[in-house]
Amino acid sequence: MGDDMDLFSYSTEKNNKSNSPLAVRMRPRNFDEFIGHEETVGKTRFLRKMIDSDTIPSMIIFGPPGTGKTTLAQMIATTTNSHFEKLNAVSAGIADIRKIVEAAKERVKFYQKRTIVFIDEIHRFNKGQQDVLLPYVEDGRLILIGATTENPYFEVNLPLLSRVRIVRLTLLTNEEIALILKQALTDTERGLGLFHLTCSEEMLYTIAAVGAGDARVSLNILEQASAMLPSGGQINEGIIKEIIGEKLQAYDKSGDNHYDTTSAFIKSMRGSDPDAALHYLARMLVAGENLNFIARRIAICAAEDVGNADPQALVIAMAAMQAVQFLGMPEARIPLAQAVTYVAAAPKSNAAYMAIDAAIHDVKSKNCGQVPLHLRDAHYKGAAKLGHGTEYLYPHNFENNFTKQQYLPNELKNSRYYIPTENGNEKTIKTRLQQCWGGKD
């Protein structure tokens, strides 16, 4: 580790102090202590090999809270010989980025040393901030490591996205979280080992199940339990129930109930049974499930399973998501119930969902050709000489604001992705498209 690692070295030292939360103290310091994500950072995986050889590529790490995004970045910081900088997208601005870039240029010029910049919550960077990073990531002056809980394909600009690797961290399994809890119980340096507490495998799995894939939540519960016991005490169901209350009643010992309930919730909305959907919503609310998690499932169902059969479903689902953040519990249950019943009762179509997946498949697997000349940008001097836009037919100049012309590249001109159903509003859409195109064969 280089001498210029003061930021993370200081952070690690500070976090290891006894007054730091257990979840912070137990952050893995190296890959030997890192539990889970074998498919991403296992010894034989590409990313791990790149880290071990200190040829780290620019990347964006995304996944739910508590899955190890910041921990992975911190481990990279302690293994690289590059200079490491950390920014938080909530508080950092363009001036901060430019300052790091200037220092990086000097570092390369005088010391032949690369700079890695870690940006937490990168989805909070606006387009302008992301655009500032682009040329420096492209020419290698900066190695970017971003972390986000949001899907980067929706939150990060496409030009920047095309220059980084996407590293996805999924929720940890109950088995993995139970191992992390056991490690915390026995670690005498950073964990609870000096208290000589005991906890059965069953209770470890119970705590892991309540954490629902978030190691930080489970470690917080374990720490609270330890605070209620004398040295040598036993963590039992009574202690855990006192900490988490009703949550314990809503999760079984194996933790499968969390995922089963979520699955049943979505399938009940998809299956147009509002009563069943409300039942599973109630289970999740009583269990203390994350409200944003619930709201996201409703929004996904509105887009995936209702789609254009009733476009209002997504509007209501997104309004409920905003209302949940504004209201909090217990009032948040009301807009959630409104959205759930609307989505469940709405006519169903997955045509848009199937269409985009088919289109993405073609883009990834076929030579899709060039954008047709008549559709290319014609808003600059010299475009006409290249034939760009000269034969474009402006639909509003024609009857019913429509005229037939080719929009897909030649290589895909007969492709059809969106096939509307006869359900709800989509029947009207289908009729109009047939009137316009006849039968796009």
Side-chain angles (χ1 to χ4, degrees):
M1 185 173 68
D3 293 334
D4 48 5
M5 287 297 300
D6 291 342
L7 177 65
F8 262 77
S9 298
Y10 171 75
S11 177
T12 303
E13 183 180 3
K14 180 181 177 183
N15 287 342
N16 282 337
K17 291 182 179 179
S18 59
N19 61 346
S20 296
L22 179 64
V24 174
R25 301 200 308 271
M26 289 305 301
R27 270 188 177 160
R29 296 163 293 190
N30 52 60
F31 283 106
D32 291 333
E33 297 176 351
F34 195 70
I35 293 173
H37 308 304
E38 280 293 318
E39 71 286 355
T40 303
V41 291
K43 287 185 178 180
T44 61
R45 298 298 181 179
F46 171 81
L47 180 59
R48 176 69 175 275
K49 289 180 178 179
M50 296 291 280
I51 294 170
D52 289 343
S53 62
D54 201 9
T55 52
I56 300 157
S58 288
M59 69 183 85
I60 292 178
I61 309 168
F62 91 101
T67 51
K69 298 181 295 296
T70 302
T71 296
L72 179 56
Q74 186 164 327
M75 287 194 299
I76 291 173
T78 60
T79 58
T80 182
N81 286 316
S82 302
H83 179 78
F84 205 97
E85 293 277 1
K86 181 181 179 183
L87 289 177
N88 189 295
V90 176
S91 55
I94 289 177
D96 298 296
I97 298 171
R98 294 195 190 282
K99 184 178 177 181
I100 288 175
V101 168
E102 288 304 313
K105 287 164 61 177
E106 296 294 309
R107 210 169 280 116
V108 169
K109 181 178 179 180
F110 294 110
Y111 305 106
Q112 291 76 53
K113 198 165 208 176
R114 301 182 308 162
T115 297
I116 298 175
V117 57
F118 171 60
I119 302 177
D120 202 9
E121 299 189 84
I122 194 170
H123 61 276
R124 294 182 180 270
F125 261 4
N126 60 36
K127 184 179 184 299
Q129 291 169 307
Q130 292 183 28
D131 285 346
V132 170
L133 286 167
L134 184 60
Y136 308 113
V137 171
E138 188 171 31
D139 67 17
R141 271 181 282 182
L142 288 182
I143 305 299
L144 170 66
I145 300 179
T148 176
T149 55
E150 304 297 326
N151 190 329
Y153 291 101
F154 298 142
E155 302 295 340
V156 178
N157 294 349
L158 186 58
L160 183 58
L161 200 62
S162 67
R163 289 160 176 81
V164 301
R165 292 183 66 87
I166 302 301
V167 178
R168 183 171 189 173
L169 300 184
T170 56
L171 289 169
L172 295 169
T173 66
N174 289 339
E175 291 80 3
E176 289 165 343
I177 292 183
L179 285 174
I180 292 170
L181 295 174
K182 191 178 293 185
Q183 194 178 67
L185 273 175
T186 56
D187 191 311
T188 56
E189 180 187 352
R190 299 176 298 146
L192 304 170
L194 295 176
F195 296 99
H196 306 291
L197 301 174
T198 58
C199 184
S200 69
E201 291 284 336
E202 186 181 26
M203 286 313 304
L204 288 175
Y205 273 78
T206 296
I207 297 170
V210 176
D214 188 329
R216 185 164 43 236
V217 171
S218 295
L219 284 166
N220 287 342
I221 293 170
L222 184 68
E223 185 172 29
Q224 292 172 50
S226 70
M228 299 173 64
L229 291 168
S231 181
Q234 181 178 25
I235 299 173
N236 55 38
E237 185 170 329
I239 295 288
I240 299 302
K241 189 171 182 179
E242 189 171 345
I243 294 169
I244 60 179
E246 293 177 328
K247 286 185 185 180
L248 187 61
Q249 301 170 19
Y251 287 83
D252 62 26
K253 303 302 183 191
S254 69
D256 290 340
N257 200 32
H258 166 74
Y259 302 104
D260 290 345
T261 301
T262 303
S263 176
F265 176 56
I266 293 167
K267 288 171 181 172
S268 297
M269 286 190 290
R270 181 184 297 146
S272 300
D273 189 336
D275 297 313
L278 283 171
H279 167 73
Y280 295 115
L281 171 64
R283 280 196 184 195
M284 289 189 288
L285 291 175
V286 170
E289 182 61 84
N290 184 291
L291 297 178
N292 289 329
F293 172 86
I294 298 172
R296 282 196 294 269
R297 303 285 80 73
I298 300 170
I300 292 166
C301 189
E304 178 180 338
D305 297 306
V306 177
N308 288 328
D310 186 351
Q312 190 67 16
L314 183 58
V315 176
I316 289 174
M318 294 306 295
M321 182 176 287
Q322 288 183 308
V324 160
Q325 295 173 352
F326 178 70
L327 295 174
M329 284 294 283
E331 289 82 1
R333 75 191 191 284
I334 303 169
L336 285 174
Q338 179 185 354
V340 164
T341 51
Y342 192 98
V343 170
K348 302 298 189 293
S349 170
N350 70 345
Y353 161 64
M354 298 295 288
I356 186 58
D357 279 2
I360 289 172
H361 177 268
D362 276 2
V363 169
K364 287 182 174 181
S365 62
K366 295 181 180 179
N367 174 15
C368 296
Q370 300 294 312
V371 174
L373 286 175
H374 64 285
L375 298 182
R376 296 187 188 182
D377 182 21
H379 292 86
Y380 61 93
K381 189 175 181 179
K385 292 180 181 179
L386 298 173
H388 293 188
T390 55
E391 296 183 16
Y392 173 62
L393 303 177
Y394 187 54
H396 296 291
N397 290 338
F398 297 84
E399 185 179 358
N400 296 323
N401 307 96
F402 175 80
T403 185
K404 283 190 177 182
Q405 63 184 323
Q406 183 178 322
Y407 290 96
L408 281 168
N410 286 330
E411 288 82 352
L412 297 174
K413 65 180 180 179
N414 293 321
S415 298
R416 190 172 178 199
Y417 301 119
Y418 181 49
I419 305 173
T421 69
E422 295 281 340
N423 301 334
N425 185 71
E426 212 160 39
K427 184 175 183 179
T428 304
I429 295 173
K430 183 176 184 178
T431 299
R432 180 177 183 277
L433 291 176
Q434 286 176 337
Q435 290 171 346
C436 290
W437 296 101
K440 234 175 169 185
D441 296 323

